[in-house]
């Protein structure tokens, strides 16, 4: 995400602390100075002091009770991604609660989202005695909160520990953590430490962020890019907030633009020069763009698949990132610009001078993109058993409200989202982009809805992820939805009774058949579970139902769960299907894959439709 917003928010003045305030009261108030007004978590006796303090704020701060602490970590990460506030906050109890939260916190760390974790702990008086739920939290959190981790042992530490944890999380866009012993939470607050040796007086004023690189580096980058005839751009989440600048520089350079999944909303995917997603789940025109370009501009992306960049030596490259440590890690770049995306691109535009760039290259990119989109629509409309999952996504894309928020899980849903959903300006969308963890979509959806309760939301989830934590977090939806200004919360479950993404990885990477004991899933009536909770349920088991189900769900007066029975044999064709992948997939069939008939039934038309030469 563009770092332009870092240091620019102005939190409301916190409430005054009463004379009898506790350390927990002081913690909550000081965190409010940094904009923390919403905590995701689950209660426990290790944080009783904190939950009591939240209750005493008289709803100036919100505690969102989820079903599992892992959800709290994911939701805190998504809280920032969807614009709910400058910092995400997790509040969990000692021992098991702290352990549960780790996966969601790693999602925040790997996707560079500022989150502070507040973790309850054994009372100081009992530490080291083998007390119930006593875990070495400083050791446990040493990696995920490596940027700043501390235990609060004295009331006078509250100010400087909170200030440093929040400032570090914002400046480094990462996870920080404070370990809170139970007995310390209830001690009398010391809001103003003594002016004496060994005490600190710190500031809760946010730090300014990086802005633009030196002018000489900007000129060098302009010279490199401006001399190209076939410019490609790769934009990631660092370009969010710089949508206008991305569009203008793409026009100036005559560039085609590919997107990392976390940067999907930085461009309008209806544009002919936007080739779409890059990587294993990406599009063929994005792969062609990278293999034919002579210049590459990377904006706020750290996409790690090196085989999807131009071959080394083919393209001269420039990279922009607000974190200088991330520059030049994926491609041998010639100019590395440390700065925020929007002002750096504006400076680069000024140095480039008037345009536009090469028209013929743009026409080539647009032609390849149009042909790909046509083939994808044909794929979505092909007959499957019982429903083609791609049809659900293609049909949804045509119906999305302008202000919709999308939460996407990892697996086959990611592929169909990347290839069929044309995100446009005004929409919000995200997923677990680097950790690639299953089970992220429902926590993301909840966080998005709390950030913007007046906007519609669609969560796109596979049945594996739904069984992992989605069915439980529907209870959270049932608990809170009546308080949302817009009750539309649509959950699409792709029910193919198979961990399909892993099954296809086994076939194409290992040459082994799908392993039923590992891969097959119980067939659950997800729509019925939604109805039990007082939500709407929809069953899709025929392609003729798809359009009407989406129409009903997107105008419903309450959340809707769509149980879509889809074909497990639907192939996720990579943008470039190698001979080795084809050989190994064939070997899996020959070795007795239980779905060999489906692979042949869907594989042949998918390959022909995807790879046959065509004109747009």
């Amino acid at each position: 995400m563009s770092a332009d917003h870092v240091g620019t928010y102005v939190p409301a003045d916190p409430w005054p602390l009463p004379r009898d305030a506790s350390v927990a009261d002081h913690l909550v108030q000081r965190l409010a100075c940094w904009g923390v007004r919403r905590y995701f978590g689950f209660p426990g006796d290790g944080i009783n002091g904190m939950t009591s303090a939240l209750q005493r704020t008289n709803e100036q701060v919100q505690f969102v009770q989820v079903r599992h602490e892992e959800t709290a970590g994911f939701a805190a990460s998504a809280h920032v991604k969807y614009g709910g506030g400058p910092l995400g906050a997790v509040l969990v109890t000692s021992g098991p609660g702290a352990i549960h939260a780790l996966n969601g916190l790693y999602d925040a760390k790997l996707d560079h989202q500022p989150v502070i974790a507040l973790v309850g702990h054994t009372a100081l008086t009992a530490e080291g005695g083998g007390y119930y739920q006593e875990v070495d939290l400083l050791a446990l959190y040493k990696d995920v909160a490596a940027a700043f981790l501390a235990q609060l042992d004295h009331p006078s530490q509250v100010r400087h520990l909170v200030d440093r944890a929040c400032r570090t999380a914002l400046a480094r866009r990462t996870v920080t953590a404070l370990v809170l012993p139970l007995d310390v939470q209830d001690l009398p607050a010391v809001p103003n430490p003594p002016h004496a040796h060994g005490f600190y007086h710190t500031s809760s004023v946010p730090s300014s962020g990086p802005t633009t690189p030196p002018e000489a580096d900007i000129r060098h980058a302009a010279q490199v890019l401006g001399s190209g005839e076939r410019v490609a751009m790769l934009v990631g989440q660092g370009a969010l907030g710089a949508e206008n600048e991305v569009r203008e520089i793409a026009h100036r350079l005559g560039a085609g633009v590919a997107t990392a999944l976390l940067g999907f909303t930085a461009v309008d995917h209806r544009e002919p020069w936007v080739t779409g997603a890059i990587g294993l789940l990406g599009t063929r025109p994005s792969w062609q763009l990278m293999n034919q370009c002579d210049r590459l501009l990377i904006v706020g992306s750290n996409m790690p698949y090196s085989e999807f960049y131009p071959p080394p030596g083919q393209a001269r490259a420039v990279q922009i990132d607000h974190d200088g440590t991330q520059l030049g890690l994926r491609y041998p770049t010639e100019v590395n610009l440390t700065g925020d995306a929007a002002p750096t691109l504006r400076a680069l535009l000024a140095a480039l001078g008037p345009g536009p760039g090469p028209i013929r290259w743009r026409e080539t990119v647009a032609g390849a993109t149009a042909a790909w989109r046509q083939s994808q629509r044909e794929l979505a409309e092909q007959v499957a058993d019982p429903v083609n999952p791609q049809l659900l996504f293609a049909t949804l894309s045509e119906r999305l409200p302008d202000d919709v928020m999308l939460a996407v899980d990892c697996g086959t849903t990611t592929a169909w989202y990347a290839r069929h959903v044309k995100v446009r300006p005004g929409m919000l969308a995200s997923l677990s982009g680097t950790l690639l963890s299953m089970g992220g979509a429902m926590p993301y959806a909840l966080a998005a809805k709390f950030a913007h309760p007046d906007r519609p939301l669609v969560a796109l989830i596979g049945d594996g992820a739904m069984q992992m934590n989605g069915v439980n977090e529907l209870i959270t939806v049932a608990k809170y939805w009546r308080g949302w200004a817009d009750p539309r919360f649509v959950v699409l479950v792709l029910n193919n009774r198979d961990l399909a993404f892993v099954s296809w990885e086994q076939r194409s990477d290992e040459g082994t058949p799908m392993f039923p004991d590992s891969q097959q899933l119980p067939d659950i009536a997800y729509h019925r579970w939604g109805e039990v909770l007082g939500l709407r349920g929809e069953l899709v088991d025929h392609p003729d139902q798809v359009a009407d189900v989406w129409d009903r769900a997107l105008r419903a007066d309450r959340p809707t769960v769509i149980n879509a029975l889809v074909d497990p044999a639907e192939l996720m064709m990579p943008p470039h299907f190698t001979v080795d992948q084809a050989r190994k997939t064939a070997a899996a069939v020959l070795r007795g894959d239980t779905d060999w008939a489906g692979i042949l039934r869907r594989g042949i038309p998918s390959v022909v439709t995807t790879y046959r030469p065509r004109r747009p």
Side-chain angles (χ1 to χ4, degrees):
M1 181 177 293
S2 175
D4 292 353
H5 69 285
V6 176
T8 61
Y9 71 90
V10 181
D13 290 335
W15 53 93
L17 279 176
R19 289 188 175 183
D20 61 348
S22 68
V23 164
D25 292 318
H26 191 196
L27 282 162
V28 172
Q29 187 228 34
R30 194 68 178 183
L31 285 160
C33 294
W34 288 92
V36 176
R37 297 295 179 114
R38 180 176 294 126
Y39 298 77
F40 295 92
F42 197 83
D45 60 0
I47 52 171
N48 276 347
M50 287 294 294
T51 52
S52 296
L54 291 175
Q55 186 176 13
R56 289 192 288 269
T57 67
N58 296 318
E59 299 184 348
Q60 294 185 83
V61 176
Q62 182 181 28
F63 181 81
V64 178
Q65 182 206 80
V66 295
R67 301 310 101 208
H68 192 283
E69 290 90 351
E70 179 186 37
T71 295
F74 276 123
S77 175
H79 171 82
V80 184
K81 289 185 176 185
Y82 288 96
L87 270 168
V90 174
L91 178 58
V92 294
T93 193
S94 56
I99 295 167
H100 283 166
L102 282 172
N103 192 53
L105 291 174
Y106 270 105
D107 176 66
K109 178 178 180 176
L110 270 61
D111 277 358
H112 306 288
Q113 300 304 312
V115 168
I116 181 168
L118 304 159
V119 186
H121 194 31
T122 305
L124 283 177
T125 54
E127 281 185 25
Y131 203 72
Y132 286 120
Q133 299 186 336
E134 184 179 0
V135 173
D136 187 347
L137 294 180
L138 293 175
L140 183 69
Y141 273 63
K142 184 177 181 180
D143 180 53
V144 75
F148 184 73
L149 169 64
Q151 178 168 307
L152 176 66
D153 291 332
H154 191 276
S156 65
Q157 293 177 290
V158 168
R159 271 181 32 167
H160 74 261
L161 290 186
V162 168
D163 290 350
R164 190 173 178 193
C166 292
R167 191 182 310 281
T168 302
L170 286 166
R172 298 190 183 179
R173 299 197 63 80
T174 192
V175 175
T176 58
L178 297 180
V179 177
L180 311 176
L182 175 61
D183 49 352
V184 177
Q185 295 172 40
D186 289 323
L187 292 176
V190 180
N192 297 299
H195 182 56
H197 185 74
F199 294 91
Y200 296 107
H201 292 262
T202 53
S203 167
S204 61
V205 176
S207 305
S208 63
T211 52
T212 56
E215 185 177 347
D217 292 340
I218 293 288
R219 288 198 303 268
H220 187 189
Q223 183 275 323
V224 170
L225 295 170
S227 60
E229 293 294 325
R230 301 183 307 279
V231 181
M233 291 177 60
L234 170 59
V235 300
Q237 67 171 336
L240 300 179
E243 292 83 358
N244 292 335
E245 290 80 4
V246 167
R247 182 181 62 253
E248 290 175 16
I249 203 158
H251 287 322
R252 170 59 188 85
L253 296 170
V257 179
T259 60
L261 286 175
L262 286 175
F264 233 47
T265 57
V267 293
D268 186 342
H269 287 256
R270 299 169 299 182
E271 294 283 4
W273 43 270
V274 174
T275 61
I278 193 171
L280 289 172
L281 304 183
T283 72
R284 188 166 178 80
S286 288
W287 181 80
Q288 293 168 327
L289 178 75
M290 293 295 160
N291 275 274
Q292 297 172 11
C293 69
D294 64 3
R295 299 291 187 275
L296 173 62
L297 173 59
I298 306 169
V299 184
S301 175
N302 197 27
M303 194 277 294
Y305 291 147
S306 58
E307 68 270 31
F308 289 94
Y309 288 91
Q314 172 187 296
R316 300 175 68 187
V318 174
Q319 186 173 1
I320 300 170
D321 201 292
H322 77 274
D323 182 354
T325 66
Q326 301 300 306
L327 294 167
L329 293 182
R330 308 303 186 195
Y331 193 77
T333 47
E334 187 171 336
V335 185
N336 291 320
L337 302 176
T338 304
D340 297 342
T344 302
L345 288 173
R346 288 194 294 268
L348 189 54
L349 277 165
L352 283 165
I359 296 176
R360 183 172 298 178
W361 169 243
R362 262 260 171 122
E363 291 173 345
T364 300
V365 171
T369 302
W372 167 265
R373 291 173 181 172
Q374 180 185 339
S375 71
Q376 294 306 292
R377 185 69 208 194
E378 291 176 12
L379 276 173
E381 293 174 349
Q382 289 178 354
V383 176
D385 182 20
V387 177
N388 188 331
Q390 302 193 60
L391 180 64
L392 287 149
F393 287 74
T395 306
L396 169 65
S397 184
E398 300 164 352
R399 290 165 166 75
L400 287 174
D402 291 338
D403 61 344
V404 75
M405 301 182 292
L406 297 165
V408 187
D409 223 295
C410 290
T412 55
T413 52
T414 320
W416 310 142
Y417 159 74
R419 297 182 178 188
H420 291 287
V421 177
K422 293 183 176 64
V423 175
R424 55 188 187 268
M427 297 179 179
L428 297 173
S430 198
L431 73 164
S432 176
T434 309
L435 187 61
L436 300 177
S437 175
M438 288 176 60
M442 279 295 283
Y444 271 47
L446 287 165
K449 200 65 177 179
F450 278 104
H452 305 286
D454 57 343
R455 297 179 64 163
L457 180 132
V458 178
L460 307 170
I461 306 177
D463 49 0
M466 193 66 184
Q467 292 183 19
M468 186 174 284
N469 62 10
V471 290
N472 290 330
E473 294 307 336
L474 277 179
I475 300 173
T476 309
V477 175
K479 173 181 172 69
Y480 287 108
W481 74 265
R482 290 175 179 81
W484 297 332
D486 186 328
R488 290 176 293 176
F489 188 107
V490 185
V491 180
L492 170 68
V493 185
L494 296 184
N495 184 357
N496 57 16
R497 292 74 61 200
D498 179 19
L499 290 171
F501 194 96
V502 180
S503 295
W504 282 112
E505 286 180 321
Q506 287 180 336
R507 292 166 179 138
S508 63
D509 295 344
E510 302 292 331
T512 57
M514 189 267 278
F515 181 29
D517 289 355
S518 165
Q519 302 306 111
Q520 288 184 348
L521 295 169
D523 186 4
I524 304 299
Y526 303 100
H527 60 302
R528 297 297 187 199
W529 173 231
E531 291 170 350
V532 166
L533 295 173
L535 314 178
R536 291 185 68 257
E538 294 271 9
L539 175 66
V540 176
D541 57 8
H542 192 279
D544 291 347
Q545 302 168 327
V546 171
D548 289 342
V549 164
W550 277 127
D551 288 339
R552 288 194 296 269
L554 290 169
R555 62 171 181 260
D557 63 353
R558 65 187 58 210
T560 300
V561 180
I562 301 173
N563 181 20
L565 306 185
V566 298
D567 195 334
E570 192 65 16
L571 270 70
M572 296 178 296
M573 301 303 299
H576 177 61
F577 199 41
T578 67
V579 173
D580 185 59
Q581 288 171 324
R583 178 180 59 80
K584 287 179 177 176
T585 302
V589 174
L590 294 174
R591 289 170 181 166
D593 196 293
T594 55
D595 200 16
W596 66 268
I599 295 172
L600 294 177
R601 171 176 50 81
R602 289 301 300 130
I604 294 173
S606 294
V607 170
V608 171
T609 303
T610 300
Y611 298 118
R612 78 169 183 263
R614 67 175 70 215
R615 292 186 179 275

